[in-house]
């Protein structure tokens, strides 16, 4: 029998941790833990950084739990796969302009900017949106182009290097929907709220773990 990978969903006090765990367990993966314990993070095969709410609170909570150093080591040095979700994706950036300028983890160079849209487009961007997939492997191998996902955000990740954008959606402007740099992945949408398409994406992420 093939051993299932160990997945730790980082618990830093801001996030949709339980709903993410429930979605992954629904797929049949049992070795899933919500934790900020250093031993759990070190022993995991992959990490998930969820998030809802404001960037500033999210990054401050990560710092208060002394998670920056261990995450840098696990992700940048050991190349452990990590998936950021919504604000968890935005934390991968260099900095955010939400409520002032705040430094992010700086794993993927870029800025988190306010959605400045035409009047007919509402902010926050809430609801279902088709996603244009630039690179199907590995996050979107089971999803077709223009698969729709559920979004809920007022800020977006403007990557300095366009090659790091693996999917986007058209919402008046080109909004980054997913990013990747090596072992580092992020999605602006909520896969745990995106029904079958979100479950497919979770399975693709987990299948990519080696």
């Amino acid at each position: 029998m093939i051993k299932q990978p160990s997945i730790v969903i980082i618990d830093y006090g801001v996030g949709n941790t339980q709903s993410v765990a429930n979605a992954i367990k629904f797929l049949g993966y049992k070795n899933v833990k919500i934790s900020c314990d250093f031993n759990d993070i070190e022993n995991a095969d992959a990490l998930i950084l969820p998030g809802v709410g404001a960037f500033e609170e999210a990054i401050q909570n990560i710092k208060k739990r002394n998670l920056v150093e261990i995450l840098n080591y696990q992700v940048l040095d050991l190349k452990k796969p990590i998936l950021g979700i919504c604000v968890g994706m935005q934390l991968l950036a260099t900095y955010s302009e939400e409520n002032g300028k705040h430094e992010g983890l700086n794993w993927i160079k870029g800025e988190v900017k306010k959605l400045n849209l035409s009047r007919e487009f509402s902010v926050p961007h809430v609801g279902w949106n088709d996603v244009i997939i630039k690179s199907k492997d590995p996050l979107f191998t089971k999803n077709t182009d223009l698969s729709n996902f559920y979004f809920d955000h007022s800020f977006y990740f403007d990557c300095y290097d366009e090659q790091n954008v693996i999917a986007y959606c058209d919402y008046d402007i080109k909004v980054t929907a997913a990013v990747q740099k090596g072992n580092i992945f992020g999605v602006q949408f909520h896969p745990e709220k995106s029904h079958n398409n979100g479950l497919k994406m979770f399975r693709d992420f987990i299948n990519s773990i080696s």
Side-chain angles (χ1 to χ4, degrees):
M1 187 166 116
I2 299 173
K3 180 178 177 289
Q4 290 191 343
S6 169
I7 301 164
V8 167
I9 300 166
I10 307 295
D11 182 9
Y12 62 104
V14 178
N16 41 332
T17 52
Q18 192 59 58
S19 55
V20 171
N22 291 343
I24 294 172
K25 288 177 180 178
F26 179 82
L27 292 170
Y29 299 101
K30 305 300 182 187
N31 201 2
V32 181
K33 185 178 289 187
I34 299 170
S35 176
C36 64
D37 183 88
F38 285 15
N39 287 330
D40 290 335
I41 292 171
E42 288 171 350
N43 292 325
D45 294 310
L47 305 170
I48 294 179
L49 188 65
V52 293
F55 185 102
E56 181 182 13
E57 182 182 4
I59 195 66
Q60 289 303 321
N61 281 11
I62 285 176
K63 290 177 179 178
K64 285 175 186 175
R65 288 164 172 76
N66 299 313
L67 290 169
V68 174
E69 185 176 352
I70 188 172
L71 289 176
N72 279 337
Y73 179 66
Q74 294 293 314
V75 173
L76 300 182
D77 295 337
L78 299 185
K79 306 299 182 185
K80 185 169 290 184
I82 188 166
L83 172 67
I85 297 173
C86 197
V87 175
M89 179 184 100
Q90 295 178 1
L91 291 172
L92 310 178
T94 307
Y95 69 86
S96 170
E97 64 174 30
E98 183 179 2
N99 298 322
K101 189 171 181 178
H102 307 284
E103 291 184 355
L105 295 169
N106 196 29
W107 293 347
I108 298 179
K109 303 290 185 184
E111 308 168 25
V112 177
K113 298 179 176 179
K114 177 79 172 178
L115 286 169
N116 290 313
L117 310 176
S118 304
R119 266 198 228 172
E120 59 266 32
F121 290 85
S122 61
V123 178
H125 170 207
V126 178
W128 295 86
N129 220 114
D130 289 344
V131 167
I132 295 94
I133 299 167
K134 292 174 57 181
S135 177
K136 290 183 71 69
D137 187 28
L139 276 194
F140 298 105
T141 62
K142 292 179 173 59
N143 274 297
T144 59
D145 200 9
L146 296 181
S147 293
N148 57 358
F149 293 89
Y150 187 83
F151 290 79
D152 186 356
H153 64 114
S154 300
F155 291 78
Y156 74 103
F157 192 163
D158 183 14
C159 289
Y160 293 159
D161 187 346
E162 181 68 22
Q163 291 187 345
N164 294 142
V165 179
I166 60 172
Y168 65 92
C169 70
D170 183 3
Y171 189 69
D172 190 38
I173 63 171
K174 188 175 177 180
V175 177
T176 302
V179 296
Q180 181 189 358
K181 184 179 181 183
N183 57 303
I184 303 167
F185 303 86
V187 292
Q188 182 61 67
F189 53 81
H190 286 275
E192 76 282 6
K193 296 181 179 179
S194 297
H195 303 163
N196 286 339
N197 290 337
L199 293 174
K200 289 176 185 177
M201 196 228 70
F202 274 132
R203 192 179 292 282
D204 274 339
F205 173 68
I206 297 167
N207 285 347
S208 72
I209 299 165
S210 59

